[in-house]
Each structure stands twice: as C-alpha cells, then as structure tokens.
Amino acid sequence: GMDLIQAAGFRSAYTTAYHALVQRARRQPGEVLLVHGAAGGIGLAAVQVGKILGATVIATAGNDEKLAAVKANGADHIINYTDGFRDRVKALTGGRGADVIYDPVGAAVFDESMRCLNWGARILILGFVGGGPSLAKTNHLLIKGASAVGVRVGGFNEFEPELAAANLQVLMAWATAGKLKPQVSHTFPLNQVAEALQVIIDRKVIGKCILTN
C-alpha cells in the first residue's frame, strides 16, 4: 500500500503512535487528543492513528505550512503553538481540556500542557525535542486525577514482543487498506547525510526525511 520511500518511514513512527495511544494512554472513543509536534514523523502518525481510533484531534505546529499539512492529515483543529495554546485548547473543549496529550516536545510545551488537563487526563512523554525534560507539577496531576506516562517503543518491543508484533499487524492492515499514509517531505542520497541532518536541525521536515541509496 506504499512505495519503498514511504515504507522506510513507516514502522518506527506508527508503532510509536499506536503503542502510545492504545497501551499507554488507554484512549477511549470520543476523547480529545492534543498532539504536539504534529508535523513531525511521530506527530503526523499520532494524528492519523488518533482519528482512526475515534478521537477528536487538536494538533499544534509552528508555522502555516506545517499546520496545513497536519490539517490535511485529518486533524479536527490546528493551533500555532508559538502564540501559546492553553486558551485555545480550553476554548475548543468547553473549558475541560484534553483527555490525552501526546508530547514529543517537552520543555515549555510540557509545562503549558499541564494547564490543559481534563479530569483523568493522561499526558504522554515521548521525547524532549523542545530543549530538555521538564519537572511535572504533581499538584496539577493530583487535582486533575491525571497521569504522566512515559512512552518508549524500543523498550516495549524488547519486553512485550508478542504485543508489539500484534500492534504491527494492525498497522499493516490499516496501511494495506489505505488508512495510513506516511508523509515524506525530503529525500537525500546516502552520501548527503549531513544535508539531511541539517534540514532536520532547521525544522524544515514535515513527516519524515528519508535517505536513499
């Protein structure tokens, strides 16, 4: 259901998103999912998987081009996070906040996300591309009956290989049916790996950057 370039960017992104939302967040149909870094590889995967699982998806990104890509991939609402997002999330949810927050960014984004928690919310910690880890305010978690949950698909594959294999079978079936569409914005030959890394550093990539031979 995809070409080899798309396939190269498929497994890690979609297995991360599916494991995060299904096993770690234990999401329920109809919940509000807030996806940060939504134009990145695991971000776009989370938007697509979240929609299949029945979530209302609010997605954040840093410029109009990225927001347009996120919207095209199924997000219900888009927010430019450079102006902050707490007030918009609260407005879009009738003041309640998000049920699941998918955060590969960390730093200040995590801190502001702690102000967007609905009762019983789960905030998923996937990485720290925004500059480093944050200290979760445990009083916010207490008041909201919320959970901060780590997500590491490498550890999941190692310690729960049978469940990880079952997840992959679900994702492969969805891909075959055309429900998942990996997005690749940049490709480089292997001898231009430095240039490939630079476009990632410069935050120009939408979806995945793939090296070819």
Side-chain angles (χ1 to χ4, degrees):
M2 64 188 79
D3 61 32
L4 288 176
I5 289 176
Q6 289 177 308
F10 174 76
R11 188 177 186 274
S12 63
Y14 286 90
T15 55
T16 297
Y18 188 90
H19 169 55
L21 298 179
V22 174
Q23 278 90 34
R24 303 304 287 149
R26 295 183 173 85
R27 94 292 160 270
Q28 300 297 318
E31 288 188 319
V32 174
L33 167 64
L34 174 60
V35 179
H36 293 305
I42 64 171
L44 280 176
V47 171
Q48 293 179 17
V49 170
K51 289 306 300 177
I52 294 172
L53 295 174
T56 296
V57 177
I58 303 172
T60 72
N63 62 47
D64 290 343
E65 181 185 9
K66 291 181 177 181
L67 289 169
V70 171
K71 186 71 172 177
N73 277 273
D76 298 285
H77 309 282
I78 52 176
I79 300 173
N80 188 325
Y81 69 84
T82 59
D83 299 322
F85 54 86
R86 174 191 175 189
D87 291 343
R88 285 274 287 135
V89 170
K90 287 296 187 73
L92 290 168
T93 59
R96 295 183 299 276
D99 301 296
V100 178
I101 301 177
Y102 184 96
D103 181 19
V105 181
V109 167
F110 182 92
D111 295 338
E112 189 169 354
S113 292
M114 293 291 285
R115 300 284 189 174
C116 299
L117 301 172
N118 193 9
W119 171 256
R122 290 82 73 202
I123 182 166
L124 303 173
I125 304 163
L126 291 108
F128 316 107
V129 299
S134 297
L135 298 176
K137 294 184 181 297
T138 51
N139 58 321
H140 292 174
L141 297 174
L142 173 65
I143 295 300
K144 291 292 186 176
S147 305
V149 184
V151 179
R152 190 170 70 87
V153 76
F156 174 63
N157 292 336
E158 178 182 357
F159 292 107
E160 301 183 65
E162 293 183 358
L163 186 53
N167 283 3
L168 185 58
Q169 289 303 307
V170 172
L171 292 168
M172 292 294 288
W174 286 353
T176 300
K179 296 180 179 180
L180 301 177
K181 297 178 180 179
Q183 183 161 340
V184 178
S185 65
H186 293 74
T187 61
F188 291 88
L190 189 58
N191 63 4
Q192 292 183 19
V193 64
E195 290 87 341
L197 290 171
Q198 191 61 53
V199 298
I200 295 171
I201 292 168
D202 293 340
R203 302 178 67 182
K204 295 179 179 178
V205 174
I206 296 175
K208 285 287 190 174
C209 174
I210 301 296
L211 296 173
T212 62
N213 60 20

